[in-house]
Amino acid sequence: MYFYQPSDGHGLPHDPLNAIIGPRPIGWIASFDAQGNRNLAPYSFFNCFNYRPPIIGFASSGWKDSVRNIVETGEFVWNLTTFDLASAMNETSASLAPGEDEFVRAGLTPADSRIVHAPRVAESPVNFECRLSQCIQLTGADGTAIDTWLVLGEVVAVHIDESLLENGIYQTAKARPVLRAGGPSAYYSIDESQRFDLVRPDAR
């Protein structure tokens, strides 16, 4: 067994943590600032944390534009990254000056949301409109504050392209979601051939 203590470094060409916890869904977060300037950025530390109310969240290393915007306005939109949108998503990861529009850089169309004011990515087949529920600064086990911020939002509206619904059931593989993997450039998608089913056992 390869063993290391993270505080001493991992001793490998690339930190394996991201690859082990993966593949990870991408938090493609649209927001806007108090002046109405749009922002769109992907976050690889992202997931869903609660059913009712539905809560999703992403972590940002540093107080970046997305975090600042969401704290200022209390809103954001998560957009599903699909295989066809992977290059556009990657374009939005560029470090732009505050106020520069990633929608424009990536050739994407901002669409009005129904409940919140933050824009949706029109080309994305699934969007979650969210209201900020918590913004938490992470700490180490010793209580030392880290310059990483966990943003949690309650999903207040959901948009789904009806082509992804079959008999009312969302088809995960059909959407061809893009997932982040280990290494500086590794991503994955999924297809129906990788599906298997497990029925939850009855309680004893």
Side-chain angles (χ1 to χ4, degrees):
M1 300 287 286
Y2 187 82
F3 173 83
Y4 71 93
Q5 294 177 264
S7 59
D8 297 329
H10 49 76
L12 298 170
H14 188 78
D15 192 334
L17 180 71
N18 295 358
I20 296 167
I21 309 298
R24 291 162 285 129
I26 296 170
W28 203 12
I29 306 299
S31 63
F32 67 107
D33 64 20
Q35 289 72 47
N37 297 306
R38 293 186 297 259
N39 183 267
L40 181 62
Y43 290 87
S44 64
F45 287 109
F46 166 84
N47 224 301
C48 181
F49 298 101
N50 199 56
Y51 262 130
R52 295 181 182 83
I55 293 176
I56 64 171
F58 71 95
S60 171
S61 297
W63 188 265
K64 295 181 179 175
D65 291 345
S66 297
V67 181
R68 186 194 68 243
N69 292 350
I70 293 166
V71 169
E72 282 183 358
T73 65
E75 300 179 349
F76 66 95
V77 175
W78 172 79
N79 305 275
L80 177 68
T81 301
T82 64
F83 185 82
D84 291 339
L85 292 172
S87 294
M89 176 276 297
N90 191 50
E91 280 296 312
T92 66
S93 69
S95 297
L96 303 183
E100 289 193 54
D101 194 333
E102 289 83 2
F103 280 88
V104 173
R105 176 186 174 91
L108 295 165
T109 309
D112 290 339
S113 295
R114 296 279 292 275
I115 305 296
V116 304
H117 294 94
R120 298 179 293 117
V121 174
E123 290 80 1
S124 175
V126 181
N127 320 98
F128 292 169
E129 301 182 29
C130 301
R131 289 197 177 115
L132 174 66
S133 57
Q134 291 174 278
C135 181
I136 303 165
Q137 184 173 16
L138 301 187
T139 67
D142 62 359
T144 301
I146 303 168
D147 188 24
T148 296
W149 304 84
L150 175 61
V151 178
L152 298 170
E154 180 179 343
V155 180
V156 296
V158 176
H159 305 253
I160 302 174
D161 188 313
E162 292 188 9
S163 67
L164 300 179
L165 298 173
E166 294 182 8
N167 299 317
I169 298 175
Y170 179 78
Q171 302 299 305
T172 303
K174 190 173 183 180
R176 302 178 77 196
V178 170
L179 311 168
R180 192 68 170 92
S185 62
Y187 291 83
Y188 286 96
S189 189
I190 61 174
D191 60 48
E192 194 63 27
S193 68
Q194 297 170 310
R195 173 178 168 166
F196 63 96
D197 291 83
L198 296 172
V199 178
R200 185 176 297 180
D202 294 332
R204 294 177 179 172

